[in-house]
Amino acid sequence: MSVPFWLVIPAAGVGARMAADRPKQYLQIAGRSILEHSLHCFLDHPGLLGAIVCVAVDDPFWPLLPVANDPRVRRAPGGRERADSVLAGLQMLLAEGAGAEDWVLVHDAARPNLAKQDLDRLLVSLADDPVGGLLAVPARDTLKRASADGRVAQTVDRSVIWQAYTPQMFRLGALHQALSQALQAQVAVTDEASAMEWAGQSPRLIEGRADNLKVTRPEDLHYLQSLWPRGH
């Protein structure tokens, strides 16, 4: 049985490190934008209740995408930071009647290579979890903590270090409250799990594939362009 869920994708960032003529989520891979690829895995899933994409108010690119006309996908105004955008999406869901106990997944706009198996693993693993959690990957490399002068200060025990990926999955009401309160307290929130941690919760780590990468630099884009044939 499918686990029902809502989806929020914050997509108001500009991706300055890509040095492109448009925000990175609108760059093309295999004939479609990165954002369309990031949505694709969810739109094909039977558990999807609806999706909110949070884009800048003056974004000229989103209306040009075919997916913008999908009745399951709605647009919300993005904010200055990721957390502001996510909060706007959560507020829209609550205002339109989504339940506080409903599951909501938050996924990066520039993480287009999510495998269906990972999405299913996350949903099934957390279906009855009291908190929720996130896809993550155990650290593989030796990790170093740097000193202020750029030298190695310490070798970190990698056995307890995980890289946080998305989707991240939490109850709609609990995540809304945690994000709202964290932002009001001016806490630096880099992902949804960090807001839940600040609220005193311990999100569960669900191991996913390492190739669920976030496009951050030009080499990430080139890697996926070489990996996927046109029409992927």
Side-chain angles (χ1 to χ4, degrees):
M1 183 178 295
S2 298
V3 178
F5 66 93
W6 300 98
L7 173 69
V8 172
I9 293 190
V14 298
R17 280 177 286 185
M18 293 296 294
D21 65 347
R22 63 193 61 200
K24 64 184 177 182
Q25 60 268 26
Y26 296 114
L27 298 176
Q28 294 279 309
I29 304 176
R32 287 196 294 187
S33 69
I34 291 173
L35 178 53
E36 289 174 288
H37 286 292
S38 297
L39 275 162
H40 178 74
C41 189
F42 299 97
L43 294 178
D44 282 349
H45 200 282
L48 180 69
L49 297 170
I52 305 291
V53 179
C54 309
V55 301
V57 175
D58 58 351
D59 186 326
F61 302 104
W62 168 254
L64 303 179
L65 301 183
V67 74
N69 298 313
D70 190 311
R72 297 167 295 173
V73 182
R74 284 161 293 162
R75 172 179 178 168
R80 192 169 68 89
E81 302 291 343
R82 173 199 174 91
D84 300 310
S85 294
V86 173
L87 186 59
L90 300 179
Q91 289 170 338
M92 177 176 282
L93 288 175
L94 289 168
E96 295 184 357
E101 290 300 309
D102 289 354
W103 286 115
V104 60
L105 273 60
V106 182
H107 188 59
D108 294 326
R111 201 178 290 271
N113 201 34
L114 173 64
K116 183 181 184 298
Q117 295 87 345
D118 274 8
L119 175 56
D120 285 336
R121 183 181 303 113
L122 182 77
L123 290 166
V124 171
S125 299
L126 298 178
D128 298 317
D129 195 274
V131 177
L134 63 152
L135 284 180
V137 175
R140 297 178 176 181
D141 299 319
T142 299
L143 302 172
K144 305 292 186 183
R145 188 187 307 280
S147 63
D149 62 354
R151 295 185 177 275
V152 174
Q154 179 188 6
T155 298
V156 179
D157 179 7
R158 69 180 179 188
S159 69
V160 298
I161 302 296
W162 290 60
Q163 290 179 267
Y165 283 13
T166 68
Q168 303 196 0
M169 173 176 169
F170 299 102
R171 298 290 183 184
L172 176 54
L175 180 57
H176 178 266
Q177 182 178 23
L179 268 178
S180 297
Q181 293 179 351
L183 289 175
Q184 288 171 7
Q186 298 185 327
V187 174
V189 175
T190 56
D191 67 353
E192 295 65 53
S194 62
M196 296 296 288
E197 293 160 40
W198 181 80
Q201 302 297 323
S202 297
R204 185 175 167 193
L205 295 163
I206 304 299
E207 184 170 354
R209 291 169 48 140
D211 62 356
N212 179 20
L213 61 85
K214 183 178 181 180
V215 176
T216 304
R217 299 182 181 278
E219 56 263 32
D220 303 324
L221 182 65
H222 297 155
Y223 169 73
L224 290 177
Q225 286 173 333
S226 67
L227 185 68
W228 293 349
R230 185 173 180 83
H232 175 86

